[in-house]
Amino acid sequence: MGKKKPRPRRSFTSEFKAEIVELCRRGDRSVGQVAKDFDLTETAVRDWVVRAEVDAGEREGLTSGEREELTALRRENQRLRQDVEVLKRATAFFAKETR
């Protein structure tokens, strides 16, 4: 009956996220209050704070740069696996043709 429409996905600049994280770190407002003041979800703000802590070395985990590198390597690995699969099929095809 009273279902809310999900709001469209928004994207924010790195500078905006850094400002929000700084507001949370100052300690004069809670994460929930900062989220409410800027019409953000509390979960998103908490994720930004955690990501900033990891990037600063204050918390264990992959930094943003490491995450980007891992994503790129996984993408390349997938492409290479597909290339190998194509080469295997081509080898089998040509081996059958030469008999």
Side-chain angles (χ1 to χ4, degrees):
M1 255 182 5
K3 283 189 175 182
K4 288 184 181 178
K5 271 190 170 180
R7 65 176 165 192
R9 188 170 196 91
R10 300 180 293 174
S11 61
F12 302 98
T13 64
S14 299
E15 293 81 17
F16 178 77
K17 291 177 184 180
E19 288 178 31
I20 296 298
V21 168
E22 183 58 35
L23 287 173
C24 293
R25 284 188 171 177
R26 280 191 207 148
D28 51 337
R29 290 190 279 184
S30 68
V31 171
Q33 187 61 46
V34 171
K36 189 181 289 186
D37 291 347
F38 287 90
D39 190 31
L40 302 167
T41 63
E42 194 170 333
T43 304
V45 174
R46 286 190 193 283
D47 288 346
W48 297 346
V49 170
V50 168
R51 173 73 21 230
E53 289 173 352
V54 169
D55 288 345
E58 300 168 2
R59 185 183 278 228
E60 286 198 29
L62 295 176
T63 64
S64 296
E66 291 169 335
R67 281 178 169 275
E68 290 172 8
E69 181 181 11
L70 180 61
T71 301
L73 289 172
R74 284 182 175 164
R75 195 174 298 125
E76 181 182 8
N77 194 1
Q78 179 64 28
R79 187 185 54 78
L80 292 172
R81 286 177 194 260
Q82 290 171 348
D83 290 351
V84 166
E85 187 61 34
V86 168
L87 291 173
K88 282 181 183 178
R89 288 180 185 169
T91 302
F93 175 78
F94 288 118
K96 191 167 70 172
E97 287 292 315
T98 58
R99 289 184 189 178

